Amino acid sequence: MRKGRSKFYRTVEVTGSGPFRIELDKRPLKTPLINDLAVPTSELAEAIAKEWRAQGDQIDPSTMPLTRLANTAIDRVGGREMRIIREIVDYASSDLVCYRASAPTGLVIREEEHWDPILSWAAEYLGATFLAVKGISHCAQPDEALGATTRYLQQFDPMGLCALHNIATVTGSALIALAIEAGSLEPNAAWLAAHVDEDWQIQQWGSDKEAEERRSHRKHEFDSAVRLLQLLSHRARATV
């Protein structure tokens, strides 16, 4: 979709019984690579349709995050699932929540409060015991933990993998992404967990406009990916 493209349709409908498609003037909506924009749940299809219904005389892609994510999942993730899984596992191999400050005490305590429950959840629910270390020097995580994470990710379809990949990219943590998906970590708590160090620095030294704008953009990307997860089919969920 080009920014500023004139609106070219009058009606938007959801069709099908799984997968679900969106039709513009009775014509199937296509991705940029001319694939059918077909999604696994009616909830997601209706949310995408709502984005298209909300457009004015000019189509604004920035107001259509679910459409963009669905396009990416279909055009870029489908058929490349194992590559995306490996990229998510790469985040797990150097996960944000595994690298801890040694000082000051206040930051050490704050990291423990936000991050220790995530590691405990991963050990119990994923069967993946990750190591937490002081400092930023790379610590090789156990093969068993990375293998368990890989096996867990193999159950997800391209839509789910796309959402998880985006969350891991924004937060620097595959474990935060997986805990959100499992329902063990509320999105607001996850966002705070992903920004413990940054928030500590802001508290000590203040922020600036450029940093605030970058964070706002990341928050938009995070919220969109979380919303995609919420609109996908629900599975059994674990709690911490």
Side-chain angles (χ1 to χ4, degrees):
M1 294 178 292
R2 299 189 303 272
K3 188 173 182 179
R5 182 182 183 185
S6 297
K7 186 176 178 180
F8 57 91
Y9 58 91
R10 296 175 62 87
T11 64
V12 183
E13 296 178 300
V14 173
T15 63
S17 56
F20 299 88
R21 291 174 171 79
I22 297 89
E23 291 187 352
L24 307 179
D25 293 340
K26 306 296 184 181
R27 296 180 179 179
L29 181 61
K30 299 288 186 177
T31 70
L33 295 186
I34 322 298
N35 294 305
D36 282 348
L37 202 161
V39 299
T41 69
S42 60
E43 292 86 357
L44 177 55
E46 290 292 348
I48 292 172
K50 185 176 180 180
E51 292 181 342
W52 286 86
R53 293 185 185 113
Q55 298 304 302
D57 292 338
Q58 302 292 316
I59 295 175
D60 183 358
S62 69
T63 65
M64 307 171 79
L66 292 173
T67 301
R68 174 175 53 81
L69 286 170
N71 284 339
T72 299
I74 294 167
D75 286 350
R76 304 298 180 186
V77 180
R80 302 174 179 86
E81 288 88 346
M82 282 309 303
R83 188 191 72 183
I84 301 303
I85 288 171
R86 285 193 295 271
E87 291 180 5
I88 297 172
V89 174
D90 281 345
Y91 280 103
S93 70
S94 57
D95 206 276
L96 169 76
V97 304
C98 295
Y99 291 85
R100 309 298 181 88
S102 56
T105 302
L107 177 57
V108 171
I109 292 173
R110 193 175 296 182
E111 288 178 347
E112 290 173 349
E113 291 175 345
H114 283 277
W115 295 350
D116 283 359
I118 297 171
L119 292 181
S120 297
W121 169 83
E124 179 179 351
Y125 188 63
L126 302 182
T129 300
F130 285 85
L131 305 177
V133 297
K134 301 290 187 181
I136 59 174
S137 296
H138 179 70
C139 171
Q141 295 295 339
D143 290 341
E144 294 81 0
L146 300 179
T149 305
T150 298
R151 290 190 294 275
Y152 185 79
L153 285 165
Q154 288 172 344
Q155 69 182 294
F156 291 98
D157 64 10
M159 295 283 170
L161 289 173
C162 180
L164 291 168
H165 188 280
N166 276 30
I167 295 171
T169 300
V170 169
T171 63
S173 173
L175 299 183
I176 286 176
L178 289 169
I180 294 171
E181 192 284 329
S184 296
L185 190 61
E186 291 297 323
N188 287 340
W191 183 253
L192 291 176
H195 293 83
V196 171
D197 292 351
E198 183 177 310
D199 287 341
W200 178 267
Q201 293 299 323
I202 291 172
Q203 182 180 331
Q204 306 306 309
W205 307 107
S207 185
D208 60 70
K209 184 176 180 181
E210 185 176 345
E212 291 170 357
E213 289 176 350
R214 288 196 302 268
R215 180 158 171 160
S216 177
H217 175 74
R218 294 199 311 270
K219 184 61 161 60
H220 178 72
E221 293 295 307
F222 174 86
D223 288 342
S224 299
V226 169
R227 179 64 173 152
L228 176 58
L229 283 180
Q230 293 170 338
L231 292 167
L232 294 171
S233 57
H234 298 293
R235 299 180 297 104
R237 298 183 181 275
T239 57
V240 173

